[in-house]
């Protein structure tokens, strides 16, 4: 499978991000971020644990590089691979093994899954017990969550807070940190209680990049996964990069049964067909509806399967993506009155479906290649 660095469009995206990072007016390293870095550096020697939150789809590229500059660091550092539900399960397992071989403690989590967060909370409680056995005598344990923008720190903080308070049967008003799909919305450090007897707190912090970014491949991955604001690159380029990756993978083959199910759907009774048609008319503009996602997968499977060109050739795969955009306009109910505007709407919807896991599970980098090098 081609890597993100192989493709011209990935290089263009990476270059655009690097150029933006060098802009004096760049949004992800303004005065509020510089202040946040100072606040983190002052507090980090006082916490018991550092939870470095990474994106499971890019477990290496989402490293929190600024962590290397903070001193002294707590003895306990845990790499938490969030958004595990969006990553390739096999690659995620390889990644966990990779970290274990290097004596890094790691844990994978889906911050939106209650049972998954409960398991993480139990894991953290076990680490706290070990800390107390090693001589920690404090009545309060503090964990600081660190990470780059949009890896899900705030969502995870809220989930740990809600579930931890419920598990401890505590009363009182629950707090909420700001959760947004847009990177950089968390501005301040916020403390949330996640356990009692002993008391356990997490500190949610703003997502921070280094002052400058240099690696084209890493920047392309950060942009595709949503760590970089979309308007820096443009949703159209990002959607085309995703389709390039999809077309070069085997993920689409999982949708082969959709063509057969489509034939079965057409053979249903008139009454069922009318009911389905009414349902479609009611929600036709919502691309997240199951029946539209079904059609999107089917169209992508059919266009890739019918393609007889060279997937390693930039021009050929570009033509395939053009064909896919044209077909997707229909299934996504996008009017064709303005071609460029229509493509932008298709790109926005496809990007959203990718980032929410509706179009498969993708890990954009492979630790196995590093292990061999």
């Amino acid at each position: 499978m081609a890597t993100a660095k192989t493709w011209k469009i990935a290089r263009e995206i990476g270059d655009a991000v690097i150029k933006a990072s060098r802009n004096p007016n760049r949004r992800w390293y303004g005065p509020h971020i510089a202040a946040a870095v100072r606040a983190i550096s002052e507090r980090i020697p006082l916490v018991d644990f550092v939870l470095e939150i990474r994106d499971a789809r890019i477990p290496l590229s989402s490293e929190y590089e600024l962590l290397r500059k903070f001193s002294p660091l707590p003895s306990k550092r845990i790499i938490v691979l969030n958004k595990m539900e969006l990553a390739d399960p096999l690659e995620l397992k390889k990644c966990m093994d990779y970290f274990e071989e290097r004596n890094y403690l790691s844990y994978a989590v889906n911050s939106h899954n209650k049972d998954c967060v409960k398991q993480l909370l139990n894991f953290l409680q076990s680490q706290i017990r070990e800390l107390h056995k090693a001589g920690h005598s404090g009545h309060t344990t503090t964990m600081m969550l660190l990470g780059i923008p949009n890896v899900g720190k705030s969502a995870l903080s809220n989930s740990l807070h809600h579930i931890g308070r419920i598990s401890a049967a505590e009363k009182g008003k629950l707090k909420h940190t700001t959760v947004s799909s847009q990177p950089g919305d968390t501005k301040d450090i916020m403390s949330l209680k996640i356990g009692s007897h002993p008391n356990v707190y997490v500190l949610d912090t703003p997502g921070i990049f280094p002052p400058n970014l240099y690696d084209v491949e890493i920047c392309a991955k950060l942009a595709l996964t949503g760590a970089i604001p979309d308007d820096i690159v443009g949703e159209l380029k990002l959607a085309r990069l995703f389709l390039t990756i999809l077309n070069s993978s085997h993920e689409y083959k999982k949708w082969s049964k959709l063509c057969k199910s489509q034939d079965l759907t057409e053979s249903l009774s008139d009454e069922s067909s009318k009911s389905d048609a009414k349902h479609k008319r009611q929600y036709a503009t919502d691309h997240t509806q199951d029946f539209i996602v079904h059609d999107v997968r089917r169209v992508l499977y059919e266009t890739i399967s019918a393609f007889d060109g060279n997937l390693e050739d930039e021009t050929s795969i570009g033509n395939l993506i053009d064909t896919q955009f044209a077909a997707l306009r229909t299934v996504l109910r996008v009017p064709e009155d303005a071609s460029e505007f229509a493509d932008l709407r298709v790109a926005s919807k496809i990007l959203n479906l990718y980032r929410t896991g509706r179009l498969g599970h993708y890990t954009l980098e492979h630790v196995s290649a590093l292990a061999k090098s």
Side-chain angles (χ1 to χ4, degrees):
M1 179 177 128
T3 63
K5 191 175 182 179
T6 303
W7 299 101
K8 178 182 177 183
I9 190 168
R11 295 193 298 271
E12 291 175 352
I13 290 172
D15 286 337
V17 172
I18 290 173
K19 182 178 179 181
S21 77
R22 295 172 181 170
N23 186 330
N25 299 318
R26 59 189 179 274
R27 286 166 292 175
W28 64 71
Y29 209 89
H32 69 285
I33 292 298
V37 171
R38 289 193 297 271
I40 291 171
S41 65
E42 291 171 359
R43 293 198 190 191
I44 203 167
L46 306 176
V47 304
D48 302 295
F49 290 84
V50 163
L51 305 185
E52 183 189 355
I53 315 301
R54 299 191 189 186
D55 189 322
R57 296 168 295 178
I58 48 172
L60 303 178
S61 296
S62 57
E63 177 188 1
Y64 188 73
E65 291 187 16
L66 290 175
L67 191 58
R68 303 174 187 175
K69 298 184 178 181
F70 295 137
S71 180
L73 287 176
S75 58
K76 282 284 188 179
R77 171 197 174 196
I78 303 172
I79 298 174
V80 180
L81 299 172
N82 195 22
K83 306 188 181 184
M84 62 175 290
E85 74 280 8
L86 304 179
D88 181 323
L90 294 178
E91 290 296 331
L92 181 59
K93 175 62 169 61
K94 292 178 183 178
C95 179
M96 302 284 284
D97 293 341
Y98 174 86
F99 286 134
E100 184 179 0
E101 290 168 2
R102 285 153 183 78
N103 296 318
Y104 291 132
L105 194 59
S106 64
Y107 198 94
V109 67
N110 171 0
S111 61
H112 301 290
N113 183 287
K114 182 178 179 180
D115 291 335
C116 197
V117 174
K118 277 185 177 180
Q119 292 172 13
L120 172 60
L121 196 57
N122 291 336
F123 170 76
L124 294 177
Q125 293 285 5
S126 70
Q127 295 300 312
I128 293 171
R129 287 192 293 271
E130 287 189 13
L131 190 66
H132 282 276
K133 288 179 181 179
H136 183 275
S137 57
H139 297 291
T140 299
T141 302
T142 306
M143 304 180 176
M144 179 177 280
L145 274 65
L146 298 173
I148 65 172
N150 217 19
V151 290
K153 294 184 302 301
S154 296
L156 183 58
S157 296
N158 283 336
S159 295
L160 287 169
H161 175 55
H162 294 176
I163 294 173
R165 290 285 299 275
I166 292 170
S167 299
E170 286 203 1
K171 297 180 180 179
K173 185 177 180 181
L174 293 173
K175 293 183 180 180
H176 298 271
T177 61
T178 301
V179 177
S180 171
S181 61
Q182 298 302 314
D185 274 3
T186 301
K187 305 296 184 185
D188 302 304
I189 298 176
M190 186 171 183
S191 174
L192 298 172
K193 191 173 185 179
I194 67 170
S196 299
H197 312 296
N199 293 327
V200 184
Y201 291 86
V202 293
L203 302 180
D204 184 31
T205 63
I208 302 175
F209 283 124
N212 291 291
L213 302 174
Y214 300 100
D215 190 291
V216 171
E217 182 178 4
I218 289 176
C219 288
K221 296 172 188 175
L222 293 173
L224 184 57
T225 53
I228 304 290
D230 289 341
D231 58 356
I232 287 178
V233 174
E235 290 179 323
L236 189 56
K237 281 190 175 182
L238 292 170
R240 291 185 73 91
L241 176 57
F242 164 65
L243 289 176
T244 299
I245 293 170
L246 168 64
N247 294 335
S248 304
S249 74
H250 298 291
E251 192 72 13
Y252 75 95
K253 294 180 180 179
K254 298 176 182 178
W255 306 330
S256 61
K257 295 181 180 179
L258 295 181
C259 293
K260 297 177 182 179
S261 64
Q262 178 74 6
D263 294 337
L264 180 61
T265 301
E266 292 172 356
S267 67
L268 294 175
S269 65
D270 291 340
E271 183 177 350
S272 297
S273 296
K274 290 178 181 179
S275 176
D276 183 59
K278 181 179 179 180
H279 176 76
K280 289 187 178 183
R281 284 197 301 271
Q282 186 177 358
Y283 301 102
T285 57
D286 184 358
H287 66 280
T288 65
Q289 292 292 303
D290 288 343
F291 72 91
I292 292 185
V293 175
H294 175 282
D295 287 344
V296 169
R297 293 172 177 170
R298 177 178 53 80
V299 163
L300 290 173
Y301 174 81
E302 289 173 348
T303 52
I304 301 172
S305 299
F307 179 69
D308 59 359
N310 180 7
L311 288 173
E312 297 296 325
D313 179 70
E314 298 273 359
T315 302
S316 294
I317 202 166
N319 291 336
L320 170 59
I321 292 172
D322 289 339
T323 300
Q324 290 172 325
F325 263 85
L328 287 168
R329 289 178 201 154
T330 301
V331 298
L332 290 171
R333 281 68 171 173
V334 174
E336 296 193 31
D337 49 354
S339 178
E340 183 178 356
F341 180 70
D343 280 350
L344 286 173
R345 291 186 63 180
V346 169
S348 179
K349 293 173 184 288
I350 289 298
L351 204 53
N352 173 262
L353 292 177
Y354 155 64
R355 288 176 176 169
T356 53
R358 306 298 298 278
L359 296 180
H361 305 86
Y362 302 87
T363 299
L364 304 182
E365 54 197 9
H366 307 286
V367 296
S368 55
L370 292 178
K372 295 176 182 177
S373 60

